[in-house]
Amino acid sequence: MKLEFELDTYKSEIKPTWCPGCGDYAVLNALQHALTTLQLEPWNVLIVSGIGCSSNLPHFLSTYGFHAIHGRAVAVAEGVKLANPDLHVIVTGGDGDGYGIGVGHFIHAMRRNLDLTYIVMNNEIYGLTTGQASPTSEMGMKTKSTPIVGVIENPIDPIALALSTGATYVARAFSGDVKQMSELVAKGLEHHGFSLIDALSPCVTYNKINTYDFFRKRVYDLNKEGHDPSDLKAAFMKALEWPVMQRDRIPLGLFYRNDKVPTYEDLEPAYKKGNPVKQALGVEDADEILREFL
Amino acid sequence: MSTPEIVFRIGGAAGDGVSSTAESFAKMCSRSGLHAWTYSSYQSVIRGGHVWTQVRGGNQPLLSHGTDPNVLVCLNQQTMDVHQGDVLEGGAIVFDSDLVKPDPSKLRKDVRLLGIPLRKMAQTITPTGIVRNTVALGAAVRLCDIDFRHVESAFQDIWGDKKPEVVAHNIQAAKLGVEAVQQAGGSLKLGLRFTEVPRYLMTGNEAVALGALAAGVRFHAQYPMTPASSILHWMAAHGPQRGVVVKQVEDELAAMNMAVGAGHAGVRSMVATSGGGFSLMVEAIGQAGMTETPLVAVVVQRGGPSTGLPTKTEQGDLNLVLGAGQGDWPRGILAPRNTRECFDLTAKAFNLAEVYQTPILILSDLYLGEGFRTVDKLDFNVPIVRGMMAADGGVAEGRYKRYAYTDSGVSPRVLPGTKGYQYIAATDEHMESGELISDILAGLPEFVEERRKMHEKRMRKLEGLRKDMPPPELWGSPNADLTLIHWGSTWGAAHEAIRHVEEDEGIRVNSLEFPALFPFHADETLRILKGVKKTLSMEANYTGQFARLLRAETGYKPNFTFPKYDGEPFTWREIADKILEVVA
């Protein structure tokens, strides 16, 4: 069957500028596959990113895009989605952008259960600024900003954070498995509510610890081991396996999905008047409004 | 200059119901056909402290909250101690005779002392005596000859059908106050003319919200902060039923970034805050400048620096909004002088934001934003101009250039969702298509040129914007001996001071004022300044932020300055005194 939108129709003329071997290529590839699977019209997709190597991603796609400032991509995306709920709004960025400087917006967007899909390319390092510790860098990791004894802070556990904050679709993927990642992204896009895909995306230049080999030795598909994504309690237990509790096994796959929670858009009273961007301007009941001031 | 007027002042501790009583009183004035003007001096506490509010009512349009009261209500001893000496000759002081003692040696002559057992009377209605302020309100109503019908209707509006017993208790309490005054000499015979035609009474913040609604705002984001919060409150209560998404957010970073997203998606989008919140918005408003995203940002100033004086007024954030954001980007700054302009300039700001695809700032302040004033009926049929859209002219030929170079600097935009026009808006420097030049291309010879051209394109928008901004106005007598230079809410007290010195002292003074602060009308301002003699620049900040802007733009240095940074608004009397000092 001929598709209306082939894989290539989602690619822009701009070639990625990432280092050879960067995990972000796989994320771009997976996203393009997911868009193709769902046959989303490129002009009805808007991808918002922050700042960092991974945040250049929207330039390599043929959809609409907004390359925002550092840490604020989620907030910009919330504004876009609230103003035009008909758009498919995707947020992409790195661990520094989303789990560090922008973690406040991340938490509150999940609490709102807005219908956004957030793909975090998590490489556990700051790459674009040439190798400082990130909020997901592991204890003891030596970086340019932690050269003497290494990192002495606990890493953020984005999966546990998302589960506890109200995200209704929580998954982890790995750049070494594009097929699984693309399926997780496509399901996240289909999901009605806030979807987090924490994408383990190795930085081949600045992170010599969390390499492809590091992950390949440890990852496993939690769904194949019988995890039930409707079970929130079990999802928490799985989330804690890494990085909080162990280092030898890293679960990938869908931790949690709940389609029964209303989204923010479902509850927003302004939408009774229609999609804000499509409403006529002007006020119909000026006299009634003014009467309360008499 | 002794036209009849009411100046009603009520003081007590926070939690005594001072401001709600005064607000009711202002409503009763406006419903009696009077012009009204309020000022509330309060503190950042929920209980305790010293709070007072003044309501001025008169037959002529008012310009300020006035100075000394003819009716003072003291709910506690501190109010009596602080304010008793201010009460005008022939005025009255209402106080709780069981709790408060006046000091007759401090009074002006012929001030009537009305000690009424407010609490005890109130306790005959409810055991807590919570309506004691309403007993005092009833006394003031009788002193000023306000029709009791307006008391009943005001209470009905506040508590209405939901709490009929509260309405009944308050009416009963007000009647006790009326009777107490009746037995102690009756009204002050102030000589006001009342009519059956009520006037509209609102705050500057409400007028901003109304202007935004009239202009078709569809997204409003805000984090609570005094003195801007009432914009959020009004919008949250009235916006959603009219299609406006109103969002209280986690912080001002989110407010501004969401507004950028909403503006980018194509709705009329706004934020409101005070200086502290705006400080958090600074990076993101630059993002709007760079991505050429329309939005309106309202900054209701309070005393700074830092947390500063949360409940006091100041004009200290001009430098902040002028310089907000790294690098240069085009912005417009409007500064409403009065409640009416809060409405008009906010509505206009949305047009300017969309026509020039850049943020427009509205600089208000606590005195203007929170004070209740009467206004003529507002016309909601404001012009709506949405600016150039590329998609109006059909499908893009070849790749759509969102940031196309144009003479005006304005590039036709499209809204996401439009087929065939997909582009990237980027906060990095970019080419006409939106493609970055900041990464691998920056520094290559042709991209040095591209950067220069793109930066010039953006900044060129200021030329058109300047022409569309309201010009400076010279108000008052020609050939004046002195010209006042000021902006924003200082307008009313300045005009009133000018009237006084002209009528009482025969000194001719006029006023040069600026409803728009940036882009600056330098040529027009210089033309006006060539025709004036001496100038006195006055603004509510320490460094003379506007005077510095004026000098930077025109080279002109005012002869005299009058900075004020005590947190209180300018009064006409202190301006009049300053005028006399500098022309002597």
Side-chain angles (χ1 to χ4, degrees):
Chain A
M1 194 185 79
K2 169 126 177 55
L3 296 171
E4 186 181 357
F5 303 110
E6 300 286 351
L7 188 69
D8 280 356
T9 52
Y10 293 102
K11 293 181 179 169
S12 79
E13 298 156 13
I14 303 168
K15 297 285 166 267
T17 47
W18 296 311
C19 303
C22 175
D24 294 350
Y25 286 99
V27 179
L28 175 63
N29 194 351
L31 178 54
Q32 285 163 343
H33 274 97
L35 292 168
T36 311
T37 303
L38 300 175
Q39 288 290 290
L40 299 183
E41 295 163 330
W43 55 89
N44 279 324
V45 176
L46 193 146
I47 305 177
V48 185
S49 67
I51 294 296
C53 296
S54 57
S55 285
N56 282 348
L57 184 139
H59 289 276
F60 315 133
L61 289 153
S62 66
T63 64
Y64 279 97
F66 193 102
H67 189 175
I69 50 177
H70 192 36
R72 312 299 160 210
V74 169
V76 171
E78 288 177 274
V80 168
K81 185 70 184 178
L82 288 166
N84 184 354
D86 293 342
L87 292 174
H88 299 278
V89 183
I90 301 166
V91 190
T92 61
D95 43 309
D97 201 79
Y99 304 151
I101 189 169
V103 72
H105 307 309
F106 173 53
I107 288 170
H108 287 279
M110 292 191 285
R111 180 167 83 82
R112 293 175 185 127
N113 196 33
L114 274 154
D115 188 12
L116 299 174
T117 304
Y118 188 18
I119 305 167
V120 180
M121 286 160 262
N122 182 358
N123 60 12
E124 301 159 277
I125 195 79
Y126 281 82
L128 191 59
T129 50
T130 71
Q132 301 84 7
S134 103
T136 50
S137 294
E138 290 174 38
M139 276 278 201
M141 183 172 174
K142 289 195 173 178
T143 72
K144 277 187 184 164
S145 58
T146 56
I148 298 171
V149 293
V151 170
I152 53 174
E153 294 166 85
N154 276 310
I156 289 237
D157 180 345
I159 302 292
L161 183 62
L163 292 170
S164 65
T165 314
T168 48
Y169 180 99
V170 182
R172 182 187 284 133
F174 166 48
S175 288
D177 187 346
V178 174
K179 186 168 175 293
Q180 185 198 33
M181 186 185 287
S182 134
E183 285 165 9
L184 288 169
V185 170
K187 280 189 208 154
L189 282 165
E190 277 183 317
H191 171 69
H192 196 49
F194 191 97
S195 312
L196 171 70
I197 296 102
D198 181 54
L200 301 172
S201 177
C203 173
V204 293
T205 306
Y206 293 108
N207 189 337
K208 304 298 184 193
I209 296 171
N210 306 107
T211 60
Y212 280 97
D213 276 351
F214 171 92
F215 287 117
R216 282 205 181 96
K217 282 182 193 144
R218 291 168 174 79
V219 295
Y220 71 97
D221 186 329
L222 62 94
N223 304 107
K224 282 187 183 150
E225 291 196 5
H227 171 68
D228 171 9
S230 69
D231 185 342
L232 181 60
K233 193 174 166 188
F236 266 111
M237 295 314 293
K238 282 288 167 192
L240 295 178
E241 284 184 11
W242 187 83
V244 176
M245 280 163 55
Q246 314 180 9
R247 287 182 49 99
D248 57 341
R249 297 198 82 212
I250 301 175
L252 299 179
L254 182 58
F255 287 77
Y256 181 63
R257 177 170 181 165
N258 186 340
D259 292 305
K260 292 184 185 127
V261 182
T263 64
Y264 192 91
E265 298 92 308
D266 291 336
L267 303 175
E268 169 56 54
Y271 295 157
K272 291 205 176 85
K273 300 291 276 185
N275 180 340
V277 85
K278 292 170 183 163
Q279 290 175 28
L281 302 189
V283 175
E284 293 160 1
D285 58 344
D287 284 343
E288 193 192 321
I289 292 168
L290 284 171
R291 202 169 299 130
E292 75 172 76
F293 296 100
L294 276 177
Chain B
M1 276 289 293
S2 56
T3 51
E5 59 178 34
I6 297 170
V7 180
F8 164 84
R9 189 183 292 176
I10 177 169
D16 282 347
V18 167
S19 59
S20 63
T21 306
E23 197 183 319
S24 296
F25 189 82
K27 198 85 174 171
M28 293 165 198
C29 288
S30 62
R31 285 182 176 172
S32 306
L34 300 181
H35 296 270
W37 186 297
T38 77
Y39 169 60
S40 193
S41 175
Y42 66 108
Q43 295 152 342
S44 196
V45 292
I46 306 302
R47 289 281 183 272
H50 175 57
V51 180
W52 62 272
T53 298
Q54 182 150 308
V55 182
R56 188 184 188 191
N59 290 122
Q60 302 298 322
L62 299 170
L63 292 164
S64 75
H65 61 283
T67 49
D68 294 341
N70 40 30
V71 175
L72 172 68
V73 172
C74 302
L75 296 176
N76 63 6
Q77 184 64 43
Q78 191 178 23
T79 306
M80 181 67 89
D81 295 342
V82 173
H83 301 279
Q84 60 188 338
D86 294 343
V87 179
L88 291 168
E89 251 181 74
I93 302 178
V94 176
F95 59 99
D96 193 321
S97 51
D98 294 325
L99 303 171
V100 179
K101 290 219 175 336
D103 177 353
S105 72
K106 291 195 174 148
L107 302 180
R108 289 184 176 139
K109 64 179 182 183
D110 201 18
V111 170
R112 201 193 309 176
L113 288 170
L114 285 165
I116 300 170
L118 299 173
R119 184 183 297 278
K120 277 190 192 146
M121 280 186 175
Q123 280 169 340
T124 66
I125 299 167
T126 63
T128 58
I130 193 167
V131 289
R132 72 183 181 119
N133 50 335
T134 308
V135 179
L137 178 66
V141 160
R142 183 66 198 96
L143 285 166
C144 300
D145 288 310
I146 289 170
D147 194 319
F148 200 77
R149 281 182 300 132
H150 299 310
V151 177
E152 291 168 333
S153 72
F155 294 158
Q156 186 62 39
D157 287 355
I158 299 168
W159 296 290
D161 303 329
K162 286 181 196 156
K163 294 178 177 172
E165 74 285 359
V166 179
V167 175
H169 288 159
N170 277 278
I171 290 175
Q172 218 180 327
K175 278 183 178 159
L176 290 176
V178 168
E179 284 159 21
V181 170
Q182 198 59 33
Q183 287 162 17
S187 105
L188 289 175
K189 301 191 173 58
L190 295 171
L192 288 140
R193 280 176 289 106
F194 300 108
T195 73
E196 291 295 316
V197 186
R199 294 184 181 280
Y200 294 95
L201 181 74
M202 64 182 63
T203 65
N205 282 348
E206 287 167 338
V208 162
L210 289 169
L213 195 64
V217 68
R218 287 294 177 272
F219 184 80
H220 178 80
Q222 191 170 342
Y223 184 86
M225 184 172 189
T226 304
S229 299
S230 57
I231 298 176
L232 172 63
H233 302 163
W234 197 90
M235 276 294 187
H238 300 81
Q241 10 348 7
R242 295 172 178 87
V244 189
V245 176
V246 181
K247 193 73 208 82
Q248 180 189 339
V249 290
E250 59 269 26
D251 52 37
E252 285 89 351
L253 305 171
M256 180 56 83
N257 281 284
M258 281 195 200
V260 170
H264 177 75
V267 300
R268 294 196 144 189
S269 168
M270 82 185 277
V271 299
T273 184
S274 189
F278 187 74
S279 296
L280 294 185
M281 296 181 176
V282 161
E283 186 191 17
I285 198 170
Q287 163 178 251
M290 186 59 150
T291 57
E292 308 202 28
T293 303
L295 61 87
V296 173
V298 182
V299 180
V300 189
Q301 300 163 99
R302 68 190 211 186
S306 191
T307 308
L309 291 168
T311 62
K312 296 291 168 189
T313 201
E314 198 164 275
Q315 296 175 299
D317 296 340
L318 174 56
N319 285 349
L320 173 65
V321 298
L322 269 175
Q326 64 271 35
D328 290 312
W329 53 272
R331 75 198 74 193
I333 306 172
L334 294 161
R337 290 168 290 181
N338 51 50
T339 314
R340 173 83 215 190
E341 268 188 355
C342 286
F343 178 84
D344 293 339
L345 293 182
T346 303
K348 186 180 180 67
F350 283 93
N351 289 343
L352 295 173
E354 287 197 323
V355 168
Y356 293 100
Q357 300 176 18
T358 207
I360 303 294
L361 291 125
I362 294 173
L363 205 49
S364 174
D365 62 36
L366 180 142
Y367 183 55
L368 175 58
E370 292 198 331
F372 286 87
R373 284 115 205 225
T374 43
V375 290
D376 291 339
K377 188 174 182 182
L378 301 171
D379 182 3
F380 273 58
N381 289 312
V382 299
I384 291 179
V385 188
R386 305 217 58 182
M388 257 195 294
M389 304 298 285
D392 294 346
V395 178
E397 280 185 32
R399 188 171 175 190
Y400 165 61
K401 290 180 174 171
R402 167 66 185 92
Y403 301 104
Y405 298 133
T406 60
D407 289 344
S408 66
V410 178
S411 317
R413 66 184 175 125
V414 299
L415 307 186
T418 310
K419 185 178 177 181
Y421 285 81
Q422 292 97 292
Y423 73 95
I424 308 285
T427 56
D428 284 75
E429 187 58 287
H430 42 261
M431 295 185 271
E432 288 179 284
S433 62
E435 188 179 341
L436 303 191
I437 63 174
S438 59
D439 288 4
I440 54 173
L441 305 176
L444 295 173
E446 70 257 46
F447 294 103
V448 172
E449 176 69 4
E450 283 290 321
R451 150 67 182 185
R452 193 179 59 72
K453 281 167 70 177
M454 185 55 68
H455 204 24
E456 287 171 356
K457 176 202 106 70
R458 275 190 303 271
M459 296 308 289
R460 207 151 53 229
K461 295 194 281 187
L462 284 173
E463 295 311 312
L465 183 56
R466 177 181 287 111
K467 292 192 188 96
D468 284 348
M469 296 295 263
E473 289 174 22
L474 186 66
W475 179 87
S477 310
N479 304 316
D481 302 313
L482 182 71
T483 300
L484 305 183
I485 295 176
H486 57 91
W487 60 282
S489 72
T490 310
W491 165 84
H495 283 214
E496 192 166 359
I498 288 172
R499 281 189 193 169
H500 277 275
V501 297
E502 291 203 333
E503 288 178 24
D504 303 344
E505 313 286 341
I507 303 167
R508 276 149 74 98
V509 181
N510 59 17
S511 161
L512 175 57
E513 38 208 70
F514 296 82
L517 305 178
F518 195 83
F520 198 82
H521 284 283
D523 294 343
E524 178 64 7
T525 303
L526 269 175
R527 193 189 61 72
I528 295 171
L529 285 169
K530 281 207 179 87
V532 308
K533 294 176 187 162
K534 298 278 184 188
T535 54
L536 167 62
S537 164
M538 26 182 255
E539 53 190 310
N541 60 61
Y542 185 89
T543 52
Q545 296 180 9
F546 179 78
R548 289 163 69 108
L549 173 65
L550 174 68
R551 197 170 179 189
E553 293 278 353
T554 63
Y556 182 85
K557 188 183 179 194
N559 300 95
F560 308 100
T561 59
F562 184 11
K564 185 170 163 73
Y565 37 85
D566 56 9
E568 297 298 326
F570 280 101
T571 64
W572 70 259
R573 185 165 288 159
E574 63 195 356
I575 297 171
D577 289 346
K578 190 73 184 179
I579 291 170
L580 296 179
E581 179 192 319
V582 304
V583 297

